[in-house]
């Protein structure tokens, strides 16, 4: 892991964002915010985070049904271990861990599972972009943020059309993308072609309107539950802002983490939450900084502990998980329907 350039790049990103966060933080002032927080209320919000991931696991089950119908209760530990791996390992290796473990645990084709996970993540991205666009366009924010919302809405619309094109005209879409991949070096082209085929296989379930609507509803439900968790922690730290602010934090912070692959999102998450509260909604810097630190800790620590507990009860070692994160999964030829 320590020889991986992506690990060091993620570490540099974390350190840079943390330095900026600390530059904007007065630790003498946030100490008062921490002392005045209602920790019982903050910890009471943590189960909502796990409920949100249960709903997201239901969505993954829906998307995986064309490959194999695995009960939600059996997929849920896989999701938590994958999330834990994303929090402690670089480059979102947790997605490969999920594909590997569900393949070993349920006898599912690992490349096909990876394809469904890719589609699962696309739903997260599209939902977050839709939330960001809606809140910034229709809430009382300044013009810059509003125009950003309009721009992200356009991206959301284009990405949705592309997703439908892949799902309903897979061969034509595949030819277009392969024409683009031919400009890349041969080794990279073949690896990306395998990933593309697995991704298209994962999209097959979207040809059913009921699956598409169900996946959209579950996506919105899961992120709404997470926003509610953010709001309860905000109340525990004495923040008096509307629910739309927490939806904006959910969307902006998680989209930032998907682009800036730092370990556990440490740094980018805190800066994004602090910037939204202080620069857009004019919340006091001490309360905003304390909230950002506490919220991220409540998002990271319980899931990491739960993931390691699941590994221990499953008699798997951390080394097994690192092996599961091998990129060889993506290189396996795709499964067929």
């Amino acid at each position: 892991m320590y020889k991986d350039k992506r690990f060091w790049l993620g570490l540099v990103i974390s350190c840079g964002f943390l330095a900026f966060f600390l530059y904007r933080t007065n630790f003498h002032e946030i100490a008062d915010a921490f002392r005045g927080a209602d920790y019982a209320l903050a910890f009471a919000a943590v189960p909502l985070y796990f409920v949100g991931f249960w709903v997201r696991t239901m969505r993954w089950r829906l998307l995986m049904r064309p490959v194999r119908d695995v009960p939600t209760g059996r997929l849920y530990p896989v999701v938590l271990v994958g999330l834990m791996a994303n929090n402690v390992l670089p480059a979102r290796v947790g997605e490969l861990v999920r594909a590997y473990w569900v393949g070993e645990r349920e006898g599912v084709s690992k490349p096909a599972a990876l394809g469904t996970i890719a589609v699962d993540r696309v739903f997260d991205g599209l939902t977050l972009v839709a939330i960001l666009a809606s809140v910034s366009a229709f809430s009382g924010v300044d013009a810059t943020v509003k125009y950003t919302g309009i721009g992200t809405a356009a991206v959301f619309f284009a990405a949705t059309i592309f997703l439908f094109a892949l799902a309903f005209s897979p061969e034509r879409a595949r030819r277009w993308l392969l024409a683009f991949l031919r400009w890349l070096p041969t080794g990279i082209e073949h690896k990306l072609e395998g990933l593309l085929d697995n991704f298209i296989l994962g999209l097959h379930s979207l040809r059913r309107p009921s699956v598409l609507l169900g996946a959209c509803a579950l996506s919105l439900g899961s992120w709404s539950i997470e926003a509610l968790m953010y709001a309860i922690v905000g109340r525990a730290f004495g923040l008096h802002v509307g629910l739309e602010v927490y939806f904006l934090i959910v969307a902006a912070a998680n989209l930032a983490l998907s682009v800036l692959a730092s370990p556990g999102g440490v740094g980018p998450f805190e800066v994004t939450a602090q910037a939204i509260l202080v620069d857009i909604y004019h919340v006091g810097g001490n309360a905003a900084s304390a909230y950002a630190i506490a919220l991220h800790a409540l998002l990271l620590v319980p899931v990491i502990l739960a993931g390691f507990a699941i590994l221990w009860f499953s008699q798997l070692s951390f080394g097994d998980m690192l092996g599961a994160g091998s990129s060889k999964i993506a290189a396996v030829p795709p499964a067929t329907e």
Side-chain angles (χ1 to χ4, degrees):
M1 179 176 72
Y2 296 109
K3 296 180 180 179
D4 194 330
K5 293 179 181 178
R6 294 172 298 181
F7 169 80
W8 293 106
L9 176 61
L11 194 61
V12 169
I13 291 172
S14 276
C15 291
F17 274 86
L18 278 177
F20 182 72
F21 177 81
L22 296 176
Y23 173 76
R24 301 188 67 188
T25 299
N26 185 319
F27 282 93
H28 292 293
E29 292 181 357
I30 68 169
D32 293 333
F34 276 112
R35 279 193 293 267
D38 184 347
Y39 289 101
L41 182 60
F43 283 110
V46 172
L48 283 174
Y49 191 49
F50 287 91
V51 172
F53 271 96
W54 178 270
V55 176
R56 235 167 284 176
T57 305
M58 293 170 62
R59 182 189 63 195
W60 186 29
R61 178 189 181 184
L62 193 64
L63 297 172
M64 194 187 287
R65 274 181 181 162
V67 179
R68 177 163 299 181
D69 188 8
V70 181
T72 305
R74 290 190 62 81
L75 289 177
Y76 189 56
V78 178
V79 170
L80 291 181
V81 169
L83 180 61
M84 179 269 286
N86 277 338
N87 287 337
V88 300
L89 297 173
R92 304 201 68 83
V93 170
E95 316 305 353
L96 294 175
V97 170
R98 279 172 66 183
Y100 176 87
W101 201 25
V102 79
E104 293 292 311
R105 182 183 172 100
E106 306 297 340
V108 177
S109 163
K110 296 181 182 70
L114 189 63
T116 64
I117 291 168
V119 177
D120 190 55
R121 299 302 298 170
V122 166
F123 267 98
D124 279 334
L126 292 179
T127 304
L128 291 170
V129 169
I131 291 172
L132 180 65
S134 300
V135 174
S136 58
F138 298 108
S139 64
V141 295
D142 60 34
T144 302
V145 178
K146 193 160 290 190
Y147 287 132
T148 300
I150 294 172
T152 52
V155 173
F156 168 73
F157 182 70
T160 303
I161 291 176
F162 178 67
L163 194 65
F164 273 97
L166 284 176
F168 290 94
S169 300
E171 290 305 319
R172 180 179 298 178
R174 186 178 185 276
R175 286 197 300 271
W176 291 344
L177 291 172
L178 286 179
F180 170 75
L181 293 180
R182 290 192 184 98
W183 292 90
L184 300 175
T186 304
I188 298 175
E189 176 191 346
H190 290 317
K191 288 182 180 180
L192 291 179
E193 184 177 350
L195 284 171
L196 174 63
D197 289 335
N198 295 326
F199 180 72
I200 292 175
L201 177 62
L203 283 170
H204 285 181
S205 60
L206 298 185
R207 296 177 186 177
R208 301 178 186 175
S210 60
V211 172
L212 181 61
L213 291 174
C216 290
L218 291 169
S219 294
L220 183 58
S222 67
W223 288 108
S224 296
I225 292 170
E226 185 162 330
L228 180 59
M229 182 256 189
Y230 285 28
I232 293 173
V233 177
R235 180 60 61 89
F237 277 79
L239 301 186
H240 299 289
V241 294
L243 186 58
E244 74 279 1
V245 178
Y246 298 106
F247 272 99
L248 187 59
I249 294 173
V250 163
N254 284 281
L255 285 172
L257 300 192
S258 67
V259 176
L260 303 167
S262 61
V266 174
F269 184 95
E270 286 80 4
V271 168
T272 303
Q274 183 191 59
I276 290 172
L277 289 169
V278 175
D279 299 330
I280 298 177
Y281 290 98
H282 311 295
V283 173
N286 56 336
S289 299
Y291 169 75
I293 294 170
L295 175 63
H296 204 194
L298 291 172
L299 294 174
L300 289 178
V301 176
V303 168
I304 291 173
L305 294 176
F308 275 111
I310 291 168
L311 286 179
W312 187 78
F313 282 110
S314 302
Q315 297 183 331
L316 293 172
S317 68
F318 192 68
D320 293 331
M321 190 180 68
L322 288 174
S326 170
S327 59
K328 294 179 181 178
I329 296 174
V332 179
T336 57
E337 280 191 299

